[in-house]
Each structure stands twice: as C-alpha cells, then as structure tokens.
Amino acid sequence: PAPREVIPDLSAAEALSQHEAHSRLIDTAARAIEALGIAARTHPTPRIGHAYFGPMSPRQTVMLLTGHTRHHVDGLRSRITGS
C-alpha cells in the first residue's frame, strides 16, 4: 500500500543552501525528462508506476509532476505572502 504522506528529511534539506537546492532540483528534473523521453521513444507502451494513480505514460507523468509542483509553489507563495 502507498504511504499516506511522504515527509522529506528536514535535516538533509536544511543542510543545502538555496543555490544547492535549486541546482539539485534543476539537475534532477532534467534527468527525469531525459529518461522519460528515452522511454517514450524506445518502448512501445512505457509506464511509470504511481502508488495512487497506477501505471502512467511518460506524458501523463510529466503532466502530474508539473501540476504537483505548481501546487507546492502555490503553497509556498501563500506562506510567504500570507494570502
């Protein structure tokens, strides 16, 4: 069964500078997009397993990750602005 919530290790996150966290995010996202593109081109029906949504195509995965990231950006923006 899927976990109800995944909470990152705060001590690991706090050890990163803002620049390091940003660089890691950009690097990881680029590698993920590259891997999803390769899977889409080389496998007839590639699927990425998701704990709640089940098997998803690379395109569906990118759409989900984009929406999820926007959700977190909105939450951070609200915390910063108080709105």
Side-chain angles (χ1 to χ4, degrees):
R4 181 175 169 178
E5 182 178 25
V6 177
I7 301 172
D9 179 352
L10 290 179
S11 63
E14 290 170 348
L16 296 173
S17 69
Q18 185 175 4
H19 175 75
E20 291 168 325
H22 179 261
S23 294
R24 188 178 288 186
L25 175 64
I26 296 300
D27 179 59
T28 302
R31 287 186 289 132
I33 292 295
E34 180 180 359
L36 289 167
I38 290 168
R41 289 189 303 276
T42 60
H43 294 81
T45 54
R47 293 289 179 250
I48 293 84
H50 188 278
Y52 301 111
F53 305 122
M56 300 184 327
S57 71
R59 182 175 186 279
Q60 290 171 318
T61 301
V62 170
M63 291 174 63
L64 175 69
L65 291 171
T66 301
H68 193 149
T69 300
R70 285 187 184 137
H71 159 77
H72 283 281
V73 167
D74 291 344
L76 288 169
R77 187 175 292 125
S78 295
R79 292 178 82 183
I80 291 168
T81 63
S83 58

